[in-house]
Amino acid sequence: MIFASDNWSGASPKVVEAVAEAAKRGGPAYGTDPLTKVVEGRFSELFEREVAVFPVGTGTIANSLALSHFARPGAVVLAHREAHILVDEPGSTEFFGAGMRPVGLDGVNGKLTPAGLVAGFERFPAGNTFHGNPVVVTLTQMTELGTVYHPEEVAALAGIAHERGAAVHMDGARFSSAVAGLGVAPADITWRAGVDVMSFGGTKNGCLAAEAVVFFDPARAAGFAVARQRAGQTFSKGWFLAAQYDAYLGGGHWLELAGHARDMGRDLAAVIDASRVARLAVRPAANELFAFVRSDALERVRAAGAVLHPWNTVSLPADAVPAEGEQLVRLVTSFATTADEVAHFAEVLEG
Amino acid sequence: MIFASDNWSGASPKVVEAVAEAAKRGGPAYGTDPLTKVVEGRFSELFEREVAVFPVGTGTIANSLALSHFARPGAVVLAHREAHILVDEPGSTEFFGAGMRPVGLDGVNGKLTPAGLVAGFERFPAGNTFHGNPVVVTLTQMTELGTVYHPEEVAALAGIAHERGAAVHMDGARFSSAVAGLGVAPADITWRAGVDVMSFGGTKNGCLAAEAVVFFDPARAAGFAVARQRAGQTFSKGWFLAAQYDAYLGGGHWLELAGHARDMGRDLAAVIDASRVARLAVRPAANELFAFVRSDALERVRAAGAVLHPWNTVSLPADAVPAEGEQLVRLVTSFATTADEVAHFAEVLEG
Amino acid sequence: MIFASDNWSGASPKVVEAVAEAAKRGGPAYGTDPLTKVVEGRFSELFEREVAVFPVGTGTIANSLALSHFARPGAVVLAHREAHILVDEPGSTEFFGAGMRPVGLDGVNGKLTPAGLVAGFERFPAGNTFHGNPVVVTLTQMTELGTVYHPEEVAALAGIAHERGAAVHMDGARFSSAVAGLGVAPADITWRAGVDVMSFGGTKNGCLAAEAVVFFDPARAAGFAVARQRAGQTFSKGWFLAAQYDAYLGGGHWLELAGHARDMGRDLAAVIDASRVARLAVRPAANELFAFVRSDALERVRAAGAVLHPWNTVSLPADAVPAEGEQLVRLVTSFATTADEVAHFAEVLEG
Amino acid sequence: MIFASDNWSGASPKVVEAVAEAAKRGGPAYGTDPLTKVVEGRFSELFEREVAVFPVGTGTIANSLALSHFARPGAVVLAHREAHILVDEPGSTEFFGAGMRPVGLDGVNGKLTPAGLVAGFERFPAGNTFHGNPVVVTLTQMTELGTVYHPEEVAALAGIAHERGAAVHMDGARFSSAVAGLGVAPADITWRAGVDVMSFGGTKNGCLAAEAVVFFDPARAAGFAVARQRAGQTFSKGWFLAAQYDAYLGGGHWLELAGHARDMGRDLAAVIDASRVARLAVRPAANELFAFVRSDALERVRAAGAVLHPWNTVSLPADAVPAEGEQLVRLVTSFATTADEVAHFAEVLEG
């Protein structure tokens, strides 16, 4: 009953097997191997256009390097106030962006709103040399609250950004969850909706360590290979990252994995909806749930071996407040979650 | 006949197997898993003292983060002029050190000398606010020229550094080669000789992607965990790095691998010593060779499938100059090099 | 009728005269001249203890360098949400602090509160490697809202910071206004109340360009001279900065200047209090006023030559909201403001 | 007999008077005052084309900010090995350039040579992501060895840089000396010869503190105003810098000052040429001299009050080596040096 995070799971056997196979062969270093080339093709196929792909080791560096690509003196990144870059990356945007400032905005249900984004831009009038200038807007898809942006929501926000000369980044550490939750084509919630660059996560959905920065217009990636090298993110055995993505993207494996995680998340949501001792704080889109749980029930599931984290989110809907004796917790299912785990949790929860 | 680099090889089956096993289990994220704990113990055992270990993804980031730990305004790193940080890391020390300046010094046989190091320090008088102040000396072990520092050489240089208030870093991307070449205890060429912190490489010797920053005095590592996190080098599935090191260090596997690479290097050196068309430019310590090869012979081996790089090294001994018609090349053997490859190379070389 | 800002005024004749005198003599470069030594003594006398003083050219660099002295990976600066470092310095803290993150907190009347500061610290639990760690708290004295921290208020906030291992910085761009407004000894609202380092402004109160970073414990200033040099803030003709401070601090001239500005501010406040078309939004402590003015009156004073800026402050008291037809403006008096200007303004304002 | 440096002199009375006048008036802050506008015109007139001018406080920041304008990951600056940025700015280029690396090249008589510059570029093949990529070449005019680049020398070097996609910066801390020494139009040794941006110094030639970054193509200065603001170099009383440049450039005052310094330098060179106890190490172009002086004579002039610095320059011509008993010293004359000082020095030198 591990609901702590999807990064507590191991890795998909298919992904591991691909790495093992590649390890028998080896190949030219620093991403010049054939498998990396294959993976570049897989990404272009996935997104229905030619893209530029830069595999890296972690989500934090994918975000930091992608955002830093737009850095200049006084540069500001507009983000949801609970975005990973503001809460879980200790100054990474500021550091890799050489002084770039992430500014947190309020949202609704974990998502930036058009009005909120416009207001964010208005704090930084064009031409002003004192306040800073927004150069990129970042959206987290799936959001930190387990919700998703619909294609038209992404498009509205991207339009606002582009009109004001800012680029659009998507933090897709849980992109696969969003795709599984929405049931849309990856292209439809990215470049077709105006996203310029994204962090494409694999680790939370069955890879060992595989994240990638994807530029939807390869011409805009100029210089990024050096930036990645400088950051110590050009792996000499590049086939190790490529092998993961090859297996992950091949044959729709990534959506199988994410689909399972989503289904387990929905089952878990149903358990909570039916519970007398717990209730959802926000309606989940896929595999990340926030729930208010009665303290005695929480003690009970933990005693039975459930792992789940207490949470503190300021972006819950205004009417989602814990009642006396309730605590807010987060539950995340993954590709490895089993129906038995969910069933056991249901049983224990009710006591 | 791949002699391009030891990072062109695949990975050791034992290492891959360990990763596959760990991937079945998963575990708590960000290095809080039990296997990471085990690996910390393995490192302490290896170095015969309690050390602080921080696994990361690449050698460049291991060097950059280790050196940046000593950064302050005006900080200078003294290094051999052909050190990896000066030649193959495009501003990484400067970037992660927030303006830290690596300064290249001349050496002999790829190694810093006591006199050269003293002269390096003398360019930066203490208290001067204009020139910069050396805060750390970095030694590459095995060196970029395939040679090694003997324990007393390390000790002499470390003594000079410590007397002047500077720390000592060892770039051990090929540390295993050095240990295999020297036949000494790891402790003897590191902390017992005065090394304060090192980059401990695994990737070039059979791992997939496993490097580590090792502080020999854990008290001096304060704050490093956050620096690693900020740099996007705290892998969420920390057990993936730990599993590699567990297999790599367990049962002396790392020295088996390095010993094999060294033996293949020595066989290859013997081939070249016996050749009429090639000669060593410098006596190798283990698995990295520099040789002058007649151009026709070079064409011949390449036509037969040998992969080896032309090289340009300003740190060759003064009397090592190519004759008319000779080219300088680098040949690297690895854990995966076979006796057949060496034999085949010998055969083709002579024509 | 220039009420735009105190930095629109020229410079005090005494200060200019001192510069002219020093310019006849010249002297050793980079702050090794005798006048710089004299000024160091003047600062120590002013603060009733030995201090370390580093003159620089602007308030932005004084703040940035002072704060960066406490930087380390993941470092956070806690500040009022309208602090100059957050609103008027475009990423300077982030840049000079090499990724340091300033975090804005709510306050009351432009001032941080003990409860707000405690809550700020609580967002960053000690030992957490994801969120960042507060290393310094900055207080603006006089505040951006024209109010002042009383000695016991500074002491309460400094105590909270120190208990949590953070240093305390004071942005004193208008420190002279605060001293004039409060009528206290400089020592009482700085080190005696727990301030560790401050930006001591002279420019807004009659100097040409004279700011200084003052460390109240000289031992904590180690390395700062190099940081200043690296930042391009060690003026070769150091006597130029020293001459200004010599005249400014000598014979209490700085308090004469600030006292006059405060008196003009109080007269102007009286004018507004008596007005039928304007009212104060917050009670001013000295020479910086925020007022709601009826639009027709605002047009009238501007037509008559008054220069004053519209303002947008989110930190006004909750009950200070503009009525229909009112606009918020800022008015600043200075050492050069005349009684005639104030009288003329009064006359024109009422129409 | 102050020959320590031209920055030991006071300031030109005309410059000081202009500051005093401006201080009576004051004006809009942050460079929006009318005098700053006038000065922009003066610079455009001086250079015979429209230029973009950014006054700052010191030469170190003029260099650092100008160079950082071309920074990107992996960026390299090619410079003479004794350039100020490498010897007297403790990591400023690295810091402001966010990891930019200055690389020192050998030269002749303190000047880069075409062959040396080409060789410098060849160390960094285009497209290579490991070694770094030169983005800007910096030339010091007048050089650190007191020599000057002739227009055709600048043009040759600039041509090499531009062909390889790099910009050309001129460190003109002593630009006035170069112009006075060469007797050419400022345009002829800057943009007409291919210089893209320069640091235009005033401080060493009679200003209090006045340096400026000049972009010869204003369109290339985009974003620089924010960079300057972020660096804490946008002075609120911008008229203070403008007043200096107004007086300095008006009526050719700057060349009067530099011409006098040059004449004094030539007289001093004549004294040394005629001496039995001293000889020039290199032929000076204007006011900065390097000489070998017999130790007894050196003691004698110092006892008589002469201030001059011992020097250590590796860029002296190969045949310029001190004889037994000789020491290398630097002597700098300035706008304030008197004929009496030179005559007195001549007298004392010979004993």
Side-chain angles (χ1 to χ4, degrees):
Chain A
M1 292 195 293
I2 304 294
F3 303 117
S5 182
D6 31 12
N7 60 25
W8 282 47
S9 296
S12 150
K14 278 193 190 171
V15 167
V16 173
E17 180 55 30
V19 168
E21 277 306 304
K24 290 178 190 161
R25 288 191 307 270
Y30 300 111
T32 59
D33 62 286
L35 203 53
T36 295
K37 201 79 194 160
V38 166
V39 161
E40 288 168 5
R42 287 210 184 278
F43 270 97
S44 293
E45 199 181 332
L46 180 76
F47 283 111
E48 306 172 44
R49 65 173 292 166
E50 196 199 340
V51 300
V53 182
F54 299 87
V56 296
T58 70
T60 291
I61 199 65
N63 287 339
S64 302
L65 283 183
L67 294 172
S68 74
H69 197 60
F70 303 94
R72 59 178 198 224
V76 162
V77 183
L78 296 179
H80 188 280
R81 62 184 294 174
E82 292 197 63
H84 199 265
I85 65 164
L86 273 164
V87 175
D88 285 306
E89 301 176 8
S92 302
T93 301
E94 291 90 336
F95 181 70
F96 285 98
M100 202 174 200
R101 175 181 292 177
V103 168
L105 306 177
D106 290 328
V108 171
N109 275 342
K111 297 188 277 184
L112 291 180
T113 64
L117 184 58
V118 167
F121 273 103
E122 284 173 354
R123 287 165 56 185
F124 303 97
N128 179 294
T129 62
F130 294 84
H131 305 341
N133 305 104
V135 296
V136 57
V137 172
T138 180
L139 310 174
T140 308
Q141 177 77 310
M142 181 169 79
T143 76
E144 283 80 7
L145 200 59
T147 56
V148 288
Y149 288 97
H150 289 261
E152 61 276 14
E153 291 176 313
V154 174
L157 296 167
I160 291 166
H162 289 159
E163 276 166 29
R164 289 156 181 81
V168 177
H169 168 258
M170 181 169 277
D171 176 353
R174 289 194 179 96
F175 184 70
S176 57
S177 296
V179 172
L182 283 164
V184 297
D188 287 344
I189 46 167
T190 56
W191 64 271
R192 280 202 196 109
V195 175
D196 299 296
V197 60
M198 82 175 292
S199 305
F200 187 99
T203 312
K204 285 183 158 69
N205 188 35
C207 291
L208 292 159
E211 306 287 319
V213 177
V214 179
F215 285 88
F216 294 107
D217 175 359
R220 295 186 71 179
F224 197 78
V226 180
R228 182 180 59 167
Q229 180 87 34
R230 183 174 76 165
Q233 287 285 344
T234 306
F235 287 71
S236 59
K237 297 183 176 173
W239 47 260
F240 154 68
L241 290 169
Q244 294 178 72
Y245 271 125
D246 188 38
Y248 183 69
L249 298 180
H253 185 49
W254 71 296
L255 284 179
E256 280 174 16
L257 297 168
H260 176 80
R262 174 204 59 206
D263 292 347
M264 292 297 102
R266 291 187 178 172
D267 290 356
L268 192 58
V271 164
I272 292 168
D273 277 337
S275 172
R276 292 163 302 112
V277 296
R279 59 193 178 98
L280 290 168
V282 64
R283 182 59 42 194
N287 67 322
E288 188 175 15
L289 291 70
F290 294 86
F292 298 116
V293 182
R294 283 218 333 242
S295 300
D296 55 339
L298 196 53
E299 270 181 49
R300 196 160 54 231
V301 295
R302 282 188 168 137
V307 183
L308 72 181
H309 290 319
W311 217 256
N312 175 4
T313 177
V314 297
S315 67
L316 284 177
D319 58 348
V321 286
E324 179 78 29
E326 284 184 338
Q327 289 183 44
L328 179 65
V329 295
R330 187 184 76 158
L331 302 102
V332 192
T333 59
S334 82
F335 77 95
T337 303
T338 64
D340 278 0
E341 281 181 293
V342 176
H344 188 200
F345 181 81
E347 204 177 285
V348 178
L349 182 67
E350 302 306 310
Chain B
M1 291 195 293
I2 304 294
F3 303 118
S5 182
D6 32 11
N7 60 25
W8 282 46
S9 297
S12 152
K14 278 194 189 169
V15 167
V16 174
E17 181 55 30
V19 168
E21 277 306 304
K24 290 178 190 160
R25 289 190 306 270
Y30 300 110
T32 58
D33 61 285
L35 203 53
T36 295
K37 202 78 194 162
V38 167
V39 162
E40 288 167 4
R42 286 212 184 277
F43 270 98
S44 293
E45 198 181 333
L46 180 77
F47 284 110
E48 306 173 42
R49 66 173 290 168
E50 196 200 340
V51 300
V53 183
F54 298 88
V56 295
T58 70
T60 291
I61 199 64
N63 287 339
S64 302
L65 282 184
L67 295 172
S68 75
H69 196 61
F70 303 95
R72 60 179 197 221
V76 162
V77 182
L78 296 179
H80 188 279
R81 60 183 296 174
E82 293 197 63
H84 199 266
I85 65 163
L86 273 164
V87 174
D88 287 305
E89 301 175 8
S92 303
T93 302
E94 291 90 336
F95 181 70
F96 285 98
M100 202 175 198
R101 175 180 291 177
V103 169
L105 305 177
D106 291 326
V108 171
N109 275 342
K111 297 188 277 185
L112 292 180
T113 63
L117 185 58
V118 167
F121 273 103
E122 284 173 355
R123 288 165 56 185
F124 303 97
N128 179 295
T129 62
F130 294 83
H131 304 341
N133 306 104
V135 296
V136 56
V137 172
T138 179
L139 309 174
T140 309
Q141 178 78 309
M142 179 169 82
T143 76
E144 282 80 7
L145 201 58
T147 56
V148 288
Y149 288 97
H150 288 260
E152 61 276 16
E153 292 176 313
V154 174
L157 294 167
I160 290 165
H162 289 158
E163 276 166 28
R164 288 156 181 82
V168 178
H169 168 257
M170 179 168 280
D171 176 354
R174 290 194 178 95
F175 185 69
S176 57
S177 296
V179 172
L182 283 164
V184 299
D188 288 343
I189 47 167
T190 56
W191 65 272
R192 280 202 196 109
V195 175
D196 299 297
V197 60
M198 81 175 294
S199 304
F200 186 100
T203 312
K204 284 182 158 70
N205 188 36
C207 291
L208 293 159
E211 307 287 321
V213 176
V214 180
F215 285 88
F216 294 107
D217 176 359
R220 294 186 71 179
F224 197 78
V226 179
R228 183 178 60 165
Q229 180 88 33
R230 184 175 75 164
Q233 288 285 346
T234 305
F235 287 71
S236 59
K237 295 182 176 174
W239 48 260
F240 155 67
L241 290 168
Q244 294 178 73
Y245 271 125
D246 187 38
Y248 184 68
L249 297 180
H253 185 49
W254 71 296
L255 283 179
E256 280 173 15
L257 297 168
H260 177 79
R262 174 203 59 207
D263 292 347
M264 292 296 102
R266 290 188 178 170
D267 289 356
L268 191 59
V271 165
I272 292 169
D273 277 336
S275 171
R276 291 163 304 110
V277 297
R279 60 194 176 95
L280 290 168
V282 65
R283 184 58 41 195
N287 67 322
E288 187 174 17
L289 290 70
F290 293 87
F292 297 115
V293 181
R294 284 219 330 245
S295 299
D296 55 341
L298 196 53
E299 271 180 47
R300 197 160 52 232
V301 297
R302 282 188 170 138
V307 185
L308 71 182
H309 290 320
W311 217 256
N312 175 5
T313 177
V314 298
S315 68
L316 285 177
D319 59 349
V321 284
E324 180 77 30
E326 283 184 340
Q327 289 184 44
L328 180 64
V329 296
R330 187 184 77 157
L331 302 102
V332 193
T333 58
S334 82
F335 78 94
T337 303
T338 63
D340 278 359
E341 281 181 292
V342 175
H344 189 202
F345 181 81
E347 204 175 283
V348 177
L349 182 67
E350 301 305 311
Chain C
M1 292 194 294
I2 304 294
F3 303 117
S5 182
D6 32 11
N7 61 24
W8 282 46
S9 297
S12 150
K14 277 194 189 169
V15 167
V16 174
E17 180 56 28
V19 169
E21 276 306 303
K24 290 179 188 159
R25 289 190 307 270
Y30 299 111
T32 59
D33 62 285
L35 202 53
T36 295
K37 202 79 196 161
V38 166
V39 161
E40 288 167 5
R42 286 210 184 279
F43 270 97
S44 292
E45 199 181 333
L46 181 77
F47 283 110
E48 306 173 43
R49 65 173 291 167
E50 195 199 340
V51 299
V53 182
F54 298 88
V56 296
T58 70
T60 292
I61 200 65
N63 287 340
S64 301
L65 283 183
L67 295 172
S68 75
H69 196 61
F70 303 94
R72 60 180 198 222
V76 162
V77 182
L78 296 179
H80 187 279
R81 61 184 295 174
E82 292 197 63
H84 199 265
I85 65 163
L86 273 164
V87 174
D88 286 305
E89 300 176 7
S92 303
T93 302
E94 291 89 336
F95 181 70
F96 285 98
M100 201 175 199
R101 175 180 292 176
V103 169
L105 306 177
D106 290 327
V108 171
N109 274 344
K111 298 187 275 185
L112 292 179
T113 63
L117 184 58
V118 167
F121 273 103
E122 282 173 356
R123 289 165 54 185
F124 303 97
N128 179 294
T129 63
F130 294 84
H131 305 341
N133 305 105
V135 297
V136 56
V137 172
T138 180
L139 310 175
T140 308
Q141 177 77 312
M142 183 171 78
T143 76
E144 283 80 6
L145 201 58
T147 55
V148 288
Y149 287 99
H150 288 260
E152 61 276 17
E153 290 176 313
V154 174
L157 296 166
I160 290 165
H162 288 159
E163 275 166 31
R164 288 156 181 82
V168 178
H169 167 258
M170 180 169 279
D171 176 353
R174 291 196 177 93
F175 184 70
S176 57
S177 296
V179 172
L182 283 163
V184 298
D188 288 344
I189 48 167
T190 56
W191 65 270
R192 280 203 195 107
V195 175
D196 298 297
V197 59
M198 82 175 292
S199 304
F200 186 99
T203 312
K204 284 182 159 70
N205 189 35
C207 291
L208 292 159
E211 306 288 318
V213 177
V214 179
F215 286 88
F216 293 107
D217 176 359
R220 295 186 71 179
F224 197 78
V226 179
R228 183 179 59 166
Q229 179 87 33
R230 183 174 76 163
Q233 288 284 345
T234 306
F235 287 71
S236 59
K237 296 183 177 174
W239 47 261
F240 154 67
L241 290 168
Q244 294 177 73
Y245 270 125
D246 188 38
Y248 184 68
L249 299 180
H253 185 50
W254 71 296
L255 284 180
E256 278 173 18
L257 297 168
H260 176 80
R262 174 204 59 208
D263 292 347
M264 293 296 102
R266 291 188 177 170
D267 289 356
L268 192 59
V271 164
I272 293 169
D273 276 337
S275 172
R276 290 162 304 113
V277 296
R279 59 193 178 98
L280 290 168
V282 65
R283 183 59 41 194
N287 66 321
E288 187 175 16
L289 290 70
F290 294 87
F292 297 116
V293 182
R294 283 218 334 243
S295 299
D296 54 340
L298 197 53
E299 270 181 49
R300 197 159 52 231
V301 295
R302 281 188 170 138
V307 185
L308 72 181
H309 289 322
W311 217 257
N312 175 3
T313 177
V314 299
S315 67
L316 285 177
D319 57 350
V321 284
E324 180 80 28
E326 283 185 339
Q327 289 183 43
L328 180 64
V329 295
R330 188 184 77 157
L331 302 101
V332 193
T333 58
S334 82
F335 78 94
T337 303
T338 64
D340 278 0
E341 282 182 293
V342 175
H344 188 200
F345 181 81
E347 204 176 285
V348 177
L349 182 67
E350 302 304 311
Chain D
M1 293 196 293
I2 304 295
F3 303 116
S5 181
D6 32 11
N7 60 26
W8 282 47
S9 296
S12 152
K14 278 192 189 169
V15 167
V16 173
E17 178 57 26
V19 168
E21 277 306 303
K24 289 177 191 162
R25 289 190 306 270
Y30 300 111
T32 58
D33 61 286
L35 203 53
T36 295
K37 202 79 193 161
V38 167
V39 160
E40 287 168 5
R42 287 208 184 280
F43 269 98
S44 292
E45 200 182 332
L46 181 77
F47 283 111
E48 306 174 42
R49 66 172 291 166
E50 197 199 338
V51 299
V53 183
F54 298 88
V56 296
T58 70
T60 291
I61 199 65
N63 287 339
S64 303
L65 283 183
L67 294 171
S68 74
H69 196 61
F70 302 95
R72 60 179 198 222
V76 163
V77 183
L78 297 179
H80 187 281
R81 62 184 294 175
E82 294 196 63
H84 199 265
I85 65 163
L86 273 164
V87 175
D88 286 305
E89 300 175 6
S92 302
T93 302
E94 291 89 337
F95 181 70
F96 285 98
M100 202 175 199
R101 176 180 291 177
V103 169
L105 305 176
D106 290 327
V108 171
N109 274 344
K111 296 188 278 186
L112 292 181
T113 64
L117 184 58
V118 168
F121 273 103
E122 283 173 354
R123 289 164 56 184
F124 303 97
N128 179 295
T129 62
F130 295 84
H131 304 342
N133 305 106
V135 296
V136 57
V137 173
T138 179
L139 310 174
T140 309
Q141 178 77 311
M142 180 169 83
T143 77
E144 283 79 7
L145 201 58
T147 56
V148 288
Y149 288 98
H150 288 261
E152 61 276 15
E153 291 176 314
V154 174
L157 295 166
I160 291 165
H162 289 158
E163 276 166 29
R164 288 156 181 81
V168 178
H169 168 257
M170 180 168 277
D171 176 354
R174 290 193 178 97
F175 184 69
S176 57
S177 296
V179 172
L182 283 163
V184 299
D188 288 344
I189 46 169
T190 56
W191 65 271
R192 281 204 194 107
V195 174
D196 298 299
V197 60
M198 80 175 294
S199 304
F200 186 99
T203 313
K204 284 183 159 67
N205 189 35
C207 291
L208 292 159
E211 307 287 319
V213 177
V214 179
F215 285 87
F216 294 107
D217 176 358
R220 296 185 71 179
F224 197 77
V226 180
R228 182 179 59 166
Q229 180 88 34
R230 183 175 76 166
Q233 288 285 345
T234 304
F235 287 70
S236 59
K237 296 184 177 173
W239 47 260
F240 154 68
L241 290 169
Q244 294 178 73
Y245 270 126
D246 187 39
Y248 183 68
L249 298 180
H253 185 49
W254 70 298
L255 284 179
E256 280 174 15
L257 297 168
H260 177 79
R262 174 203 61 206
D263 292 347
M264 293 296 102
R266 290 188 178 171
D267 290 354
L268 191 59
V271 164
I272 293 169
D273 277 337
S275 172
R276 291 164 303 112
V277 297
R279 58 193 179 97
L280 290 168
V282 65
R283 182 61 39 195
N287 67 322
E288 187 175 17
L289 290 69
F290 293 87
F292 296 116
V293 181
R294 283 217 333 243
S295 300
D296 55 340
L298 197 53
E299 270 181 48
R300 196 159 54 230
V301 296
R302 282 187 169 139
V307 183
L308 72 182
H309 289 320
W311 216 257
N312 175 4
T313 176
V314 298
S315 68
L316 283 178
D319 58 349
V321 285
E324 179 78 30
E326 283 184 340
Q327 288 184 44
L328 180 64
V329 296
R330 187 184 77 157
L331 302 101
V332 193
T333 58
S334 82
F335 78 94
T337 303
T338 63
D340 279 0
E341 280 181 293
V342 176
H344 188 203
F345 181 80
E347 205 176 282
V348 178
L349 182 67
E350 301 305 310

